[in-house]
């Protein structure tokens, strides 16, 4: 309970609030005031305490070694300068502090990489890039962090993901849904096999892999 946690790209605060009972201090950071407002409401509903900071993950407004833990869930693929944001995450970690990341993932295969990233940009135009596990490993090592584990395809829904629900959550139109459906159903066999594309109940279901990373500041 004596650790402090910073959640980058916290959105409505789900990750920060999950950890709040287990740490001394939790800080959620996001560029969106609307998301931070939702996080404050969620904190009040849970009776949780947290600091909600409007700032850019690429330029963190905190002193060196300010936090014991830094998390980033489902946000890194939106960062325009991913390496810079990780440099900042490393900077604000204390010695022995840990960085935990969960994000969309693409495999090492170039065709799958291209298809999945283009599909995600169609789903959400603010997507910059989902990275390969090898890219994450190299990037984090350049920040000076020690990578403890990188688990590719780490989180997978047991029954896959509903395309219509995925598009609806990002506010996509029926045009976007129809185009995403077409791309999935007409994709090369290797892509459909990897994504486990399946038509079911007037919807398309597919697998959306994520990467789970734990790294540590050792200096």
């Amino acid at each position: 309970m004596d650790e402090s946690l910073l959640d980058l790209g916290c959105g409505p605060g789900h990750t920060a609030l999950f950890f709040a009972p287990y740490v001394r201090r939790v800080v959620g950071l996001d560029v969106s005031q609307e998301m931070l407002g939702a996080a404050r409401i969620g904190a009040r509903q849970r009776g949780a305490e947290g600091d909600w900071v409007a700032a850019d993950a690429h330029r963190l407004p905190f002193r060196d070694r300010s936090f014991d833990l830094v998390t980033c869930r489902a946000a890194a693929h939106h960062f325009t300068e991913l390496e810079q944001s990780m440099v900042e995450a490393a900077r604000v970690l204390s010695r022995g502090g840990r960085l935990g990341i969960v994000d969309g993932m693409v495999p090492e295969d170039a065709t799958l990489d291209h298809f999945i990233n283009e599909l995600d940009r169609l789903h959400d135009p603010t997507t910059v890039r989902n990275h390969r596990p090898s890219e994450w490993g190299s990037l984090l090592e350049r920040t000076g962090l020690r990578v403890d584990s990188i688990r590719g395809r780490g989180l997978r829904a047991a029954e896959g993901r509903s395309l219509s629900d995925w598009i609806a959550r990002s506010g996509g139109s029926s045009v976007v849904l129809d185009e995403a459906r077409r791309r999935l159903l007409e994709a090369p066999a290797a892509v459909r096999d990897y994504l486990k594309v399946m038509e079911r109940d007037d919807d398309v279901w597919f697998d959306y892999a994520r990467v789970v990373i734990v790294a540590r500041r050792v200096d």
Side-chain angles (χ1 to χ4, degrees):
M1 290 289 292
D2 61 344
E3 294 178 308
S4 56
L5 180 145
L6 170 65
D7 187 34
L8 301 178
C10 68
H14 297 314
T15 300
L17 292 174
F18 175 85
F19 282 106
Y22 307 105
V23 296
R24 171 178 52 80
R25 177 193 180 206
V26 64
V27 177
L29 179 142
D30 204 285
V31 295
S32 168
Q33 289 284 4
E34 180 180 359
M35 287 295 181
L36 294 174
R40 292 186 182 98
I41 292 171
R44 285 197 298 270
Q45 291 173 339
R46 295 190 184 199
E49 294 186 7
D51 297 323
W52 309 101
V53 177
D56 187 344
H58 306 96
R59 308 285 185 275
L60 297 179
F62 307 110
R63 298 189 308 273
D64 293 0
R65 304 178 186 265
S66 299
F67 296 92
D68 304 293
L69 303 165
V70 175
T71 57
C72 184
R73 176 181 174 273
H77 62 283
H78 296 293
F79 295 165
T80 57
E81 302 171 63
L82 180 61
E83 185 163 347
Q84 175 61 28
S85 69
M86 294 300 105
V87 167
E88 283 289 276
R91 178 182 66 78
V92 301
L93 276 172
S94 61
R95 182 176 184 179
R98 289 162 290 168
L99 169 67
I101 297 169
V102 178
D103 203 44
M105 188 205 81
V106 293
E108 302 298 328
D109 179 84
T111 299
L112 287 165
D113 178 328
H114 178 77
F115 183 93
I116 294 168
N117 271 303
E118 287 301 303
L119 183 68
D120 205 2
R121 292 186 190 104
L122 175 67
H123 153 253
D124 184 349
T126 66
T127 293
V128 176
R129 175 167 170 74
N130 296 282
H131 288 76
R132 305 177 184 187
S134 62
E135 292 175 319
W136 271 113
S138 298
L139 184 153
L140 290 173
E141 287 175 1
R142 290 196 297 272
T143 70
L145 295 175
R146 186 188 74 195
V147 177
D148 288 340
S149 68
I150 297 180
R151 291 195 293 125
R153 302 169 73 93
L155 297 178
R156 305 172 78 88
E159 298 182 355
R161 179 188 292 271
S162 160
L163 177 64
S164 60
D165 180 65
W166 191 52
I167 298 298
R169 286 175 180 270
S170 66
S173 67
S174 59
V175 174
V176 171
L177 175 60
D178 289 344
E179 174 60 15
R181 180 188 181 94
R182 184 194 67 79
R183 291 189 189 185
L184 284 168
L185 294 178
E186 297 180 6
V191 174
R192 286 186 278 110
D193 288 346
Y194 177 84
L195 294 176
K196 295 181 171 58
V197 177
M198 179 175 62
E199 288 188 273
R200 188 172 78 225
D201 301 329
D202 298 321
D203 200 353
V204 175
W205 291 71
F206 67 105
D207 202 355
Y208 191 81
R210 293 184 179 273
V211 66
V212 181
I213 302 167
V214 177
R216 187 183 302 266
R217 179 167 180 171
V218 295
D219 63 337

